[in-house]
Amino acid sequence: PIHVAAGIGTPIIGVFGPTAPEETGPVSRGPVRIVRQKVGCRLACYFEDCHHRVCLDSLGPDRVIAELEKILK
């Protein structure tokens, strides 16, 4: 859905965990906000070797809502 939204220029908030938004994130002419928590991993793991998922567990709805408020202004 994030890439379809990007294709039509819809404002986007992308929540990223183990993937790298620089590699798999949306390319859009519309506004894009990326929400992620860097936890010290050197490479994107795509959860292949990590079973802790701390990168997603550390993201709360408050962070996403804060980005939503910015993009709607």
Side-chain angles (χ1 to χ4, degrees), residues 32-72:
V32 176
R33 298 279 182 173
I34 301 298
V35 180
R36 71 187 299 206
Q37 179 66 39
K38 294 190 179 193
V39 293
C41 300
R42 292 184 297 148
L43 300 171
C45 73
Y46 300 88
F47 289 143
E48 292 176 6
D49 297 324
C50 177
H51 301 288
H52 301 290
R53 300 182 183 202
V54 71
C55 55
L56 282 178
D57 290 341
S58 62
L59 288 175
D62 54 327
R63 297 254 327 262
V64 179
I65 291 169
E67 292 302 320
L68 175 62
E69 289 171 345
K70 290 178 189 175
I71 210 167
L72 290 176

mmCIF file of all heavy atoms in Angstrom, residues 32-72:
data_model
loop_
_atom_site.group_PDB
_atom_site.id
_atom_site.type_symbol
_atom_site.label_atom_id
_atom_site.label_comp_id
_atom_site.label_asym_id
_atom_site.label_seq_id
_atom_site.Cartn_x
_atom_site.Cartn_y
_atom_site.Cartn_z
ATOM 1 N N VAL A 32 6.562 12.545 2.411
ATOM 2 C CA VAL A 32 6.878 11.226 2.983
ATOM 3 C C VAL A 32 7.558 11.436 4.326
ATOM 4 O O VAL A 32 8.517 12.205 4.432
ATOM 5 C CB VAL A 32 7.816 10.419 2.062
ATOM 6 C CG1 VAL A 32 8.211 9.106 2.719
ATOM 7 C CG2 VAL A 32 7.189 10.176 0.717
ATOM 8 N N ARG A 33 7.068 10.757 5.333
ATOM 9 C CA ARG A 33 7.694 10.737 6.662
ATOM 10 C C ARG A 33 8.033 9.290 6.978
ATOM 11 O O ARG A 33 7.183 8.411 6.847
ATOM 12 C CB ARG A 33 6.752 11.272 7.741
ATOM 13 C CG ARG A 33 6.346 12.690 7.569
ATOM 14 C CD ARG A 33 7.411 13.589 8.087
ATOM 15 N NE ARG A 33 6.973 14.979 7.960
ATOM 16 C CZ ARG A 33 7.633 15.976 8.456
ATOM 17 N NH1 ARG A 33 8.729 15.771 9.122
ATOM 18 N NH2 ARG A 33 7.201 17.194 8.298
ATOM 19 N N ILE A 34 9.257 9.053 7.364
ATOM 20 C CA ILE A 34 9.691 7.709 7.733
ATOM 21 C C ILE A 34 9.838 7.657 9.248
ATOM 22 O O ILE A 34 10.503 8.504 9.845
ATOM 23 C CB ILE A 34 11.037 7.348 7.068
ATOM 24 C CG1 ILE A 34 10.917 7.415 5.542
ATOM 25 C CG2 ILE A 34 11.524 5.986 7.530
ATOM 26 C CD1 ILE A 34 9.941 6.457 4.921
ATOM 27 N N VAL A 35 9.218 6.661 9.852
ATOM 28 C CA VAL A 35 9.308 6.457 11.297
ATOM 29 C C VAL A 35 10.068 5.159 11.516
ATOM 30 O O VAL A 35 9.676 4.109 11.022
ATOM 31 C CB VAL A 35 7.904 6.363 11.948
ATOM 32 C CG1 VAL A 35 8.027 6.144 13.441
ATOM 33 C CG2 VAL A 35 7.090 7.601 11.645
ATOM 34 N N ARG A 36 11.173 5.266 12.224
ATOM 35 C CA ARG A 36 11.951 4.070 12.555
ATOM 36 C C ARG A 36 12.766 4.342 13.798
ATOM 37 O O ARG A 36 13.012 5.489 14.156
ATOM 38 C CB ARG A 36 12.832 3.635 11.391
ATOM 39 C CG ARG A 36 14.008 4.549 11.125
ATOM 40 C CD ARG A 36 14.758 4.202 9.874
ATOM 41 N NE ARG A 36 15.309 2.872 9.923
ATOM 42 C CZ ARG A 36 16.371 2.471 9.261
ATOM 43 N NH1 ARG A 36 16.986 3.322 8.477
ATOM 44 N NH2 ARG A 36 16.804 1.261 9.355
ATOM 45 N N GLN A 37 13.168 3.299 14.452
ATOM 46 C CA GLN A 37 13.987 3.408 15.651
ATOM 47 C C GLN A 37 15.299 2.681 15.392
ATOM 48 O O GLN A 37 15.302 1.478 15.205
ATOM 49 C CB GLN A 37 13.270 2.774 16.855
ATOM 50 C CG GLN A 37 14.059 2.828 18.132
ATOM 51 C CD GLN A 37 14.247 4.254 18.626
ATOM 52 O OE1 GLN A 37 13.346 5.067 18.542
ATOM 53 N NE2 GLN A 37 15.408 4.553 19.147
ATOM 54 N N LYS A 38 16.360 3.433 15.333
ATOM 55 C CA LYS A 38 17.677 2.798 15.167
ATOM 56 C C LYS A 38 18.083 2.203 16.501
ATOM 57 O O LYS A 38 18.076 2.880 17.515
ATOM 58 C CB LYS A 38 18.693 3.813 14.665
ATOM 59 C CG LYS A 38 18.367 4.287 13.268
ATOM 60 C CD LYS A 38 19.494 5.088 12.688
ATOM 61 C CE LYS A 38 19.105 5.498 11.275
ATOM 62 N NZ LYS A 38 20.225 6.010 10.526
ATOM 63 N N VAL A 39 18.422 0.934 16.473
ATOM 64 C CA VAL A 39 18.756 0.226 17.713
ATOM 65 C C VAL A 39 20.181 -0.314 17.699
ATOM 66 O O VAL A 39 20.538 -1.152 18.515
ATOM 67 C CB VAL A 39 17.748 -0.910 17.993
ATOM 68 C CG1 VAL A 39 16.386 -0.334 18.304
ATOM 69 C CG2 VAL A 39 17.683 -1.882 16.845
ATOM 70 N N GLY A 40 20.987 0.159 16.774
ATOM 71 C CA GLY A 40 22.383 -0.230 16.745
ATOM 72 C C GLY A 40 22.742 -1.301 15.729
ATOM 73 O O GLY A 40 23.883 -1.729 15.651
ATOM 74 N N CYS A 41 21.781 -1.741 14.955
ATOM 75 C CA CYS A 41 22.071 -2.747 13.933
ATOM 76 C C CYS A 41 22.849 -2.092 12.792
ATOM 77 O O CYS A 41 22.532 -0.981 12.379
ATOM 78 C CB CYS A 41 20.783 -3.364 13.404
ATOM 79 S SG CYS A 41 19.813 -4.177 14.680
ATOM 80 N N ARG A 42 23.843 -2.784 12.293
ATOM 81 C CA ARG A 42 24.652 -2.218 11.215
ATOM 82 C C ARG A 42 24.014 -2.423 9.848
ATOM 83 O O ARG A 42 24.195 -1.628 8.952
ATOM 84 C CB ARG A 42 26.050 -2.825 11.218
ATOM 85 C CG ARG A 42 26.850 -2.399 12.448
ATOM 86 C CD ARG A 42 28.254 -2.913 12.405
ATOM 87 N NE ARG A 42 28.227 -4.371 12.431
ATOM 88 C CZ ARG A 42 29.119 -5.138 11.833
ATOM 89 N NH1 ARG A 42 30.115 -4.614 11.189
ATOM 90 N NH2 ARG A 42 29.032 -6.446 11.904
ATOM 91 N N LEU A 43 23.275 -3.506 9.688
ATOM 92 C CA LEU A 43 22.663 -3.823 8.408
ATOM 93 C C LEU A 43 21.185 -4.116 8.595
ATOM 94 O O LEU A 43 20.759 -4.555 9.661
ATOM 95 C CB LEU A 43 23.327 -5.059 7.788
ATOM 96 C CG LEU A 43 24.809 -4.957 7.498
ATOM 97 C CD1 LEU A 43 25.355 -6.317 7.098
ATOM 98 C CD2 LEU A 43 25.064 -3.945 6.400
ATOM 99 N N ALA A 44 20.425 -3.904 7.537
ATOM 100 C CA ALA A 44 19.017 -4.303 7.585
ATOM 101 C C ALA A 44 18.963 -5.824 7.641
ATOM 102 O O ALA A 44 19.647 -6.507 6.896
ATOM 103 C CB ALA A 44 18.294 -3.800 6.347
ATOM 104 N N CYS A 45 18.182 -6.364 8.554
ATOM 105 C CA CYS A 45 18.202 -7.824 8.743
ATOM 106 C C CYS A 45 16.986 -8.529 8.171
ATOM 107 O O CYS A 45 17.004 -9.727 7.969
ATOM 108 C CB CYS A 45 18.341 -8.170 10.218
ATOM 109 S SG CYS A 45 16.850 -7.866 11.192
ATOM 110 N N TYR A 46 15.907 -7.819 7.941
ATOM 111 C CA TYR A 46 14.677 -8.415 7.433
ATOM 112 C C TYR A 46 14.209 -9.566 8.308
ATOM 113 O O TYR A 46 13.530 -10.469 7.865
ATOM 114 C CB TYR A 46 14.836 -8.858 5.977
ATOM 115 C CG TYR A 46 15.176 -7.704 5.076
ATOM 116 C CD1 TYR A 46 16.504 -7.326 4.867
ATOM 117 C CD2 TYR A 46 14.182 -6.963 4.478
ATOM 118 C CE1 TYR A 46 16.819 -6.246 4.066
ATOM 119 C CE2 TYR A 46 14.480 -5.882 3.675
ATOM 120 C CZ TYR A 46 15.808 -5.531 3.473
ATOM 121 O OH TYR A 46 16.109 -4.452 2.696
ATOM 122 N N PHE A 47 14.589 -9.543 9.585
ATOM 123 C CA PHE A 47 14.253 -10.550 10.600
ATOM 124 C C PHE A 47 14.797 -11.943 10.276
ATOM 125 O O PHE A 47 14.317 -12.929 10.801
ATOM 126 C CB PHE A 47 12.748 -10.644 10.834
ATOM 127 C CG PHE A 47 12.156 -9.467 11.549
ATOM 128 C CD1 PHE A 47 10.898 -9.012 11.192
ATOM 129 C CD2 PHE A 47 12.817 -8.819 12.565
ATOM 130 C CE1 PHE A 47 10.317 -7.939 11.845
ATOM 131 C CE2 PHE A 47 12.259 -7.742 13.233
ATOM 132 C CZ PHE A 47 11.004 -7.303 12.864
ATOM 133 N N GLU A 48 15.787 -12.036 9.387
ATOM 134 C CA GLU A 48 16.332 -13.344 9.053
ATOM 135 C C GLU A 48 17.148 -13.934 10.205
ATOM 136 O O GLU A 48 17.115 -15.133 10.429
ATOM 137 C CB GLU A 48 17.185 -13.259 7.799
ATOM 138 C CG GLU A 48 16.357 -12.960 6.559
ATOM 139 C CD GLU A 48 17.211 -12.774 5.328
ATOM 140 O OE1 GLU A 48 18.433 -12.986 5.376
ATOM 141 O OE2 GLU A 48 16.635 -12.392 4.293
ATOM 142 N N ASP A 49 17.878 -13.085 10.909
ATOM 143 C CA ASP A 49 18.732 -13.565 11.990
ATOM 144 C C ASP A 49 18.318 -13.035 13.360
ATOM 145 O O ASP A 49 18.880 -13.433 14.359
ATOM 146 C CB ASP A 49 20.189 -13.157 11.736
ATOM 147 C CG ASP A 49 20.735 -13.799 10.473
ATOM 148 O OD1 ASP A 49 20.379 -14.956 10.192
ATOM 149 O OD2 ASP A 49 21.512 -13.132 9.764
ATOM 150 N N CYS A 50 17.365 -12.165 13.418
ATOM 151 C CA CYS A 50 16.976 -11.522 14.671
ATOM 152 C C CYS A 50 15.591 -11.991 15.095
ATOM 153 O O CYS A 50 14.647 -11.941 14.314
ATOM 154 C CB CYS A 50 16.974 -10.010 14.508
ATOM 155 S SG CYS A 50 16.437 -9.127 15.977
ATOM 156 N N HIS A 51 15.487 -12.405 16.314
ATOM 157 C CA HIS A 51 14.190 -12.847 16.810
ATOM 158 C C HIS A 51 13.672 -11.935 17.923
ATOM 159 O O HIS A 51 12.641 -12.208 18.513
ATOM 160 C CB HIS A 51 14.280 -14.286 17.302
ATOM 161 C CG HIS A 51 14.728 -15.220 16.224
ATOM 162 N ND1 HIS A 51 13.914 -15.576 15.176
ATOM 163 C CD2 HIS A 51 15.907 -15.824 16.003
ATOM 164 C CE1 HIS A 51 14.562 -16.387 14.363
ATOM 165 N NE2 HIS A 51 15.781 -16.553 14.845
ATOM 166 N N HIS A 52 14.405 -10.846 18.187
ATOM 167 C CA HIS A 52 14.016 -9.935 19.259
ATOM 168 C C HIS A 52 13.056 -8.854 18.778
ATOM 169 O O HIS A 52 12.235 -8.374 19.537
ATOM 170 C CB HIS A 52 15.255 -9.293 19.887
ATOM 171 C CG HIS A 52 16.203 -10.288 20.443
ATOM 172 N ND1 HIS A 52 15.922 -11.016 21.570
ATOM 173 C CD2 HIS A 52 17.409 -10.703 20.014
ATOM 174 C CE1 HIS A 52 16.924 -11.835 21.823
ATOM 175 N NE2 HIS A 52 17.838 -11.666 20.884
ATOM 176 N N ARG A 53 13.204 -8.432 17.563
ATOM 177 C CA ARG A 53 12.353 -7.412 16.933
ATOM 178 C C ARG A 53 12.251 -6.130 17.745
ATOM 179 O O ARG A 53 11.211 -5.476 17.791
ATOM 180 C CB ARG A 53 10.983 -7.992 16.635
ATOM 181 C CG ARG A 53 11.100 -9.159 15.699
ATOM 182 C CD ARG A 53 9.798 -9.751 15.332
ATOM 183 N NE ARG A 53 10.083 -10.913 14.482
ATOM 184 C CZ ARG A 53 9.234 -11.427 13.655
ATOM 185 N NH1 ARG A 53 8.037 -10.926 13.553
ATOM 186 N NH2 ARG A 53 9.576 -12.467 12.922
ATOM 187 N N VAL A 54 13.333 -5.785 18.395
ATOM 188 C CA VAL A 54 13.349 -4.586 19.227
ATOM 189 C C VAL A 54 13.144 -3.317 18.396
ATOM 190 O O VAL A 54 12.604 -2.337 18.884
ATOM 191 C CB VAL A 54 14.649 -4.531 20.068
ATOM 192 C CG1 VAL A 54 15.860 -4.232 19.200
ATOM 193 C CG2 VAL A 54 14.514 -3.530 21.177
ATOM 194 N N CYS A 55 13.522 -3.357 17.135
ATOM 195 C CA CYS A 55 13.367 -2.174 16.283
ATOM 196 C C CYS A 55 11.897 -1.809 16.101
ATOM 197 O O CYS A 55 11.560 -0.626 16.032
ATOM 198 C CB CYS A 55 14.042 -2.389 14.938
ATOM 199 S SG CYS A 55 13.493 -3.856 14.063
ATOM 200 N N LEU A 56 11.012 -2.787 16.030
ATOM 201 C CA LEU A 56 9.585 -2.490 15.933
ATOM 202 C C LEU A 56 8.937 -2.347 17.292
ATOM 203 O O LEU A 56 8.053 -1.504 17.485
ATOM 204 C CB LEU A 56 8.855 -3.581 15.141
ATOM 205 C CG LEU A 56 9.018 -3.506 13.634
ATOM 206 C CD1 LEU A 56 8.295 -4.665 12.963
ATOM 207 C CD2 LEU A 56 8.499 -2.196 13.087
ATOM 208 N N ASP A 57 9.370 -3.146 18.243
ATOM 209 C CA ASP A 57 8.784 -3.069 19.583
ATOM 210 C C ASP A 57 9.033 -1.713 20.236
ATOM 211 O O ASP A 57 8.259 -1.280 21.078
ATOM 212 C CB ASP A 57 9.334 -4.184 20.481
ATOM 213 C CG ASP A 57 8.823 -5.550 20.073
ATOM 214 O OD1 ASP A 57 7.799 -5.619 19.360
ATOM 215 O OD2 ASP A 57 9.450 -6.553 20.460
ATOM 216 N N SER A 58 10.104 -1.041 19.839
ATOM 217 C CA SER A 58 10.431 0.246 20.446
ATOM 218 C C SER A 58 9.661 1.406 19.816
ATOM 219 O O SER A 58 9.734 2.528 20.299
ATOM 220 C CB SER A 58 11.934 0.503 20.349
ATOM 221 O OG SER A 58 12.326 0.571 18.991
ATOM 222 N N LEU A 59 8.924 1.150 18.741
ATOM 223 C CA LEU A 59 8.119 2.196 18.112
ATOM 224 C C LEU A 59 6.713 2.173 18.698
ATOM 225 O O LEU A 59 6.005 1.183 18.591
ATOM 226 C CB LEU A 59 8.017 1.962 16.607
ATOM 227 C CG LEU A 59 9.267 2.220 15.796
ATOM 228 C CD1 LEU A 59 9.022 1.830 14.351
ATOM 229 C CD2 LEU A 59 9.691 3.654 15.894
ATOM 230 N N GLY A 60 6.335 3.255 19.298
ATOM 231 C CA GLY A 60 4.989 3.344 19.849
ATOM 232 C C GLY A 60 4.086 4.169 18.963
ATOM 233 O O GLY A 60 4.558 4.899 18.081
ATOM 234 N N PRO A 61 2.798 4.079 19.167
ATOM 235 C CA PRO A 61 1.864 4.866 18.360
ATOM 236 C C PRO A 61 2.083 6.368 18.497
ATOM 237 O O PRO A 61 1.790 7.125 17.575
ATOM 238 C CB PRO A 61 0.494 4.450 18.874
ATOM 239 C CG PRO A 61 0.718 3.681 20.112
ATOM 240 C CD PRO A 61 2.136 3.240 20.132
ATOM 241 N N ASP A 62 2.643 6.808 19.614
ATOM 242 C CA ASP A 62 2.886 8.240 19.806
ATOM 243 C C ASP A 62 3.845 8.791 18.763
ATOM 244 O O ASP A 62 3.689 9.918 18.303
ATOM 245 C CB ASP A 62 3.396 8.518 21.222
ATOM 246 C CG ASP A 62 4.616 7.700 21.599
ATOM 247 O OD1 ASP A 62 4.729 6.539 21.133
ATOM 248 O OD2 ASP A 62 5.454 8.202 22.373
ATOM 249 N N ARG A 63 4.842 8.009 18.362
ATOM 250 C CA ARG A 63 5.795 8.460 17.325
ATOM 251 C C ARG A 63 5.099 8.596 15.981
ATOM 252 O O ARG A 63 5.337 9.543 15.235
ATOM 253 C CB ARG A 63 6.965 7.481 17.188
ATOM 254 C CG ARG A 63 7.827 7.339 18.396
ATOM 255 C CD ARG A 63 9.194 7.987 18.326
ATOM 256 N NE ARG A 63 9.867 8.043 17.085
ATOM 257 C CZ ARG A 63 10.812 7.201 16.664
ATOM 258 N NH1 ARG A 63 11.182 6.187 17.404
ATOM 259 N NH2 ARG A 63 11.401 7.385 15.520
ATOM 260 N N VAL A 64 4.248 7.647 15.661
ATOM 261 C CA VAL A 64 3.536 7.683 14.383
ATOM 262 C C VAL A 64 2.538 8.842 14.380
ATOM 263 O O VAL A 64 2.432 9.579 13.401
ATOM 264 C CB VAL A 64 2.842 6.339 14.109
ATOM 265 C CG1 VAL A 64 2.072 6.390 12.796
ATOM 266 C CG2 VAL A 64 3.864 5.199 14.083
ATOM 267 N N ILE A 65 1.843 9.040 15.467
ATOM 268 C CA ILE A 65 0.882 10.136 15.571
ATOM 269 C C ILE A 65 1.585 11.487 15.456
ATOM 270 O O ILE A 65 1.087 12.410 14.803
ATOM 271 C CB ILE A 65 0.069 10.024 16.872
ATOM 272 C CG1 ILE A 65 -0.857 8.819 16.794
ATOM 273 C CG2 ILE A 65 -0.722 11.301 17.144
ATOM 274 C CD1 ILE A 65 -1.523 8.433 18.093
ATOM 275 N N ALA A 66 2.760 11.620 16.041
ATOM 276 C CA ALA A 66 3.524 12.869 15.943
ATOM 277 C C ALA A 66 3.876 13.167 14.479
ATOM 278 O O ALA A 66 3.780 14.315 14.035
ATOM 279 C CB ALA A 66 4.786 12.797 16.790
ATOM 280 N N GLU A 67 4.264 12.158 13.725
ATOM 281 C CA GLU A 67 4.574 12.352 12.312
ATOM 282 C C GLU A 67 3.314 12.667 11.520
ATOM 283 O O GLU A 67 3.333 13.476 10.588
ATOM 284 C CB GLU A 67 5.278 11.135 11.730
ATOM 285 C CG GLU A 67 6.681 10.930 12.282
ATOM 286 C CD GLU A 67 7.592 12.117 12.066
ATOM 287 O OE1 GLU A 67 7.550 12.740 10.975
ATOM 288 O OE2 GLU A 67 8.374 12.440 12.988
ATOM 289 N N LEU A 68 2.213 12.032 11.895
ATOM 290 C CA LEU A 68 0.938 12.306 11.239
ATOM 291 C C LEU A 68 0.552 13.774 11.426
ATOM 292 O O LEU A 68 0.122 14.444 10.472
ATOM 293 C CB LEU A 68 -0.148 11.400 11.806
ATOM 294 C CG LEU A 68 -1.574 11.633 11.313
ATOM 295 C CD1 LEU A 68 -1.661 11.385 9.817
ATOM 296 C CD2 LEU A 68 -2.535 10.750 12.067
ATOM 297 N N GLU A 69 0.723 14.287 12.623
ATOM 298 C CA GLU A 69 0.403 15.684 12.884
ATOM 299 C C GLU A 69 1.275 16.613 12.049
ATOM 300 O O GLU A 69 0.807 17.631 11.540
ATOM 301 C CB GLU A 69 0.549 15.983 14.369
ATOM 302 C CG GLU A 69 -0.541 15.330 15.193
ATOM 303 C CD GLU A 69 -0.308 15.435 16.687
ATOM 304 O OE1 GLU A 69 0.821 15.766 17.122
ATOM 305 O OE2 GLU A 69 -1.275 15.152 17.437
ATOM 306 N N LYS A 70 2.546 16.264 11.855
ATOM 307 C CA LYS A 70 3.441 17.092 11.040
ATOM 308 C C LYS A 70 3.009 17.098 9.582
ATOM 309 O O LYS A 70 3.047 18.127 8.917
ATOM 310 C CB LYS A 70 4.878 16.571 11.141
ATOM 311 C CG LYS A 70 5.524 16.790 12.478
ATOM 312 C CD LYS A 70 6.913 16.183 12.465
ATOM 313 C CE LYS A 70 7.532 16.165 13.837
ATOM 314 N NZ LYS A 70 8.830 15.466 13.837
ATOM 315 N N ILE A 71 2.644 15.927 9.076
ATOM 316 C CA ILE A 71 2.325 15.821 7.652
ATOM 317 C C ILE A 71 0.980 16.466 7.321
ATOM 318 O O ILE A 71 0.744 16.906 6.207
ATOM 319 C CB ILE A 71 2.388 14.340 7.198
ATOM 320 C CG1 ILE A 71 2.794 14.249 5.741
ATOM 321 C CG2 ILE A 71 1.089 13.617 7.427
ATOM 322 C CD1 ILE A 71 3.169 12.866 5.290
ATOM 323 N N LEU A 72 0.098 16.567 8.306
ATOM 324 C CA LEU A 72 -1.207 17.159 8.073
ATOM 325 C C LEU A 72 -1.207 18.688 8.175
ATOM 326 O O LEU A 72 -2.192 19.321 7.801
ATOM 327 C CB LEU A 72 -2.236 16.580 9.046
ATOM 328 C CG LEU A 72 -2.600 15.120 8.800
ATOM 329 C CD1 LEU A 72 -3.547 14.623 9.891
ATOM 330 C CD2 LEU A 72 -3.217 14.924 7.428
#
